[in-house]
Amino acid sequence: MSFPDQFYFVETTLREGEQFAGARFTSEQRVAIADAVDAFGVEYIELTSPAASPQSARDLAMIARRGLKARILTHIRCHMDDARLAVESGVNGANLLFATSEQLRQVSHGRTLDEIIERAVEVIAYLKSHGLEVRFSCEDSFRTPLPDLIRVYKAIDSLGVKRIGLADTVGVASPREVYNVLSAIRAEVSCDIEFHGHNDSGCAIANAFCAWEGGATHIDVTVLGIGERNGIASLGGMIARLAAIDPALVSRYNVEMLNEIDQMVAEMVGITIPFNSCITSPTAFTHKAGMHTKAVLADPRSYEILDPSMFGRTRTVAVAHRLVGWHAIAERARELGIYLSESQARAAAARIKALGDEHDIDGTTVDELLYEYAE
């Protein structure tokens, strides 16, 4: 397995994330998010275009002046009016987009590939003349024929942009397709490559990972994966995927902040952290089945590819249910400071299983039973 020597996160909660149905960030919330993901250690923070609204323009300029370690980007149309606003805002870079698939070209702008390239030449030259880092992205890349992508990207690469971007705008791509397309583009351009993948068909994290495998150097993420429709790859999900390969890959990030950041943004947009959210879900490190709990008590690595303590989390061995095993019961007794022999623990487990078949039980009930069996 071969990967680029370096990779960077483009954290876009303040652009893509603002397009989530429940998001309407105040100026104070935008600052709080920018400060948090900067402290986490992301390399880039992307914000909504200054052309979107007057407050968006003011907040973009304010955060650009904030002195954060991350490079501040704005996401704009490949249009001179937007480019001028980007320069005026004081950002470090501009992320340009232009729809290239036949579907979007027909309904969006009606331009040919030659006309797209001609417009890009003008806008990119202007931005570079003002010292901005430039990324050019073909919107709807994975419904754009590969020869068309290569044609556009080779022309853009020759202009000296920092990177080009491939966007799975509607979440149609599969991981294998992403890898193949990224690999083909990587062979044709010398600049960096950014990937932006939506989750419409459930492949956002897998696709982002395969983009990295195929040669992408920059991966777009948001907190909790929020974004247009059902969002893009999540910051926590990508951290989990990389840490599962080698924790050293994410050692430069303050990963113990993930839970705090996810909680903060979840409250801002009025949702709870999903049960299947990598790392930060309330159940992410909860073990329940008897066979699992026996093994994880003996060696956590048996059923944990990630160490919860790395992220400031703790594991939970659930005992108040009918699937409980006697090893988990014995461990809970030890936590309470009481001793159960194997026969006592087995008997207590059998009693709890029977109760669990009849109705829901809670931890208090289990603890009371354990004290009974210890007498």
Side-chain angles (χ1 to χ4, degrees):
M1 188 179 295
S2 176
F3 302 104
D5 293 335
Q6 293 183 309
F7 70 90
Y8 308 92
F9 283 130
V10 179
E11 213 298 321
T12 181
T13 300
L14 293 175
R15 196 280 297 179
E16 176 68 50
E18 283 210 310
Q19 296 171 204
F20 176 63
R24 185 189 175 279
F25 299 130
T26 66
S27 298
E28 292 75 16
Q29 288 174 333
R30 282 172 169 160
V31 169
I33 291 170
D35 285 353
V37 296
D38 185 63
F40 179 86
V42 299
E43 293 82 8
Y44 293 85
I45 300 173
E46 183 186 63
L47 286 90
T48 298
S49 169
S53 74
Q55 192 61 54
S56 295
R58 290 191 290 269
D59 289 349
L60 174 64
M62 174 178 59
I63 291 173
R65 296 192 301 266
R66 198 161 177 80
L68 301 179
K69 297 185 292 296
R71 293 182 66 76
I72 306 301
L73 311 173
T74 188
H75 186 270
I76 61 173
R77 298 167 296 180
C78 189
H79 191 286
M80 285 300 297
D81 289 344
D82 287 18
R84 293 187 185 95
L85 290 174
V87 169
E88 292 170 4
S89 71
V91 294
N92 301 117
N95 286 352
L96 309 178
L97 81 154
F98 222 128
T100 54
S101 69
E102 186 64 27
Q103 292 92 331
L104 292 192
R105 283 162 58 192
Q106 288 180 0
V107 300
S108 179
H109 54 72
R111 290 182 172 81
T112 67
L113 293 183
D114 285 337
E115 290 171 329
I116 289 171
I117 293 169
E118 181 179 359
R119 170 68 67 81
V121 169
E122 176 189 17
V123 176
I124 290 169
Y126 174 78
L127 291 169
K128 289 187 63 182
S129 72
H130 286 81
L132 269 67
E133 180 177 318
V134 180
R135 182 220 73 190
F136 179 92
S137 182
C138 287
E139 187 183 17
D140 207 12
S141 303
F142 291 87
R143 291 194 296 177
T144 302
L146 183 57
D148 289 352
L149 285 178
I150 290 174
R151 178 181 170 191
V152 172
Y153 285 139
K154 288 183 71 173
I156 298 301
D157 185 37
S158 70
L159 301 175
V161 296
K162 173 64 176 176
R163 62 191 179 279
I164 50 108
L166 278 84
D168 186 18
T169 304
V170 297
V172 68
S174 68
R176 181 175 295 178
E177 180 184 9
V178 169
Y179 177 84
N180 289 339
V181 171
L182 261 291
S183 298
I185 299 296
R186 177 71 282 165
E188 298 287 346
V189 300
S190 59
C191 62
D192 289 345
I193 301 176
E194 183 175 331
F195 177 78
H196 181 94
H198 276 264
N199 201 43
D200 299 76
S201 59
C203 291
I205 293 172
N207 283 347
F209 181 74
C210 286
W212 183 47
E213 284 186 298
T217 52
H218 295 64
I219 301 296
D220 288 10
V221 294
T222 61
V223 176
L224 292 173
I226 62 171
E228 191 81 11
R229 302 180 307 279
N230 60 346
I232 67 168
S234 67
L235 174 60
M238 287 306 299
I239 290 292
R241 183 78 284 267
L242 295 169
I245 300 171
D246 182 357
L249 289 171
V250 298
S251 61
R252 69 179 186 261
Y253 301 110
N254 295 317
V255 295
E256 68 281 358
M257 290 185 65
L258 270 174
N259 195 57
E260 171 191 344
I261 293 172
D262 279 7
Q263 289 282 0
M264 177 181 70
V265 173
E267 291 174 7
M268 289 178 180
V269 300
I271 62 172
T272 58
I273 294 178
F275 81 93
N276 59 348
S277 180
C278 298
I279 299 171
T280 62
S281 159
T283 61
F285 299 102
T286 297
H287 304 273
K288 184 175 179 181
M291 183 175 68
H292 287 219
T293 56
K294 175 186 176 182
V296 84
L297 288 169
D299 182 355
R301 294 172 299 177
S302 59
Y303 282 101
E304 286 179 349
I305 194 63
L306 301 173
D307 180 356
S309 66
M310 176 180 174
F311 309 100
R313 304 298 309 279
T314 56
R315 95 178 38 84
T316 298
V317 175
V319 294
H321 56 86
R322 63 187 179 188
L323 303 181
V324 71
W326 74 267
H327 291 88
I329 291 300
E331 178 61 24
R332 177 56 186 162
R334 282 190 287 271
E335 291 174 358
L336 294 172
I338 59 179
Y339 171 78
L340 293 181
S341 66
E342 179 177 336
S343 62
Q344 289 172 319
R346 286 183 180 275
R351 176 78 180 282
I352 293 166
K353 286 174 179 287
L355 289 174
D357 275 340
E358 296 173 3
H359 53 74
D360 288 340
I361 53 178
D362 59 25
T364 300
T365 299
V366 169
D367 290 350
E368 290 173 350
L369 282 171
L370 297 189
Y371 280 111
E372 288 181 19
Y373 279 89
E375 292 176 352

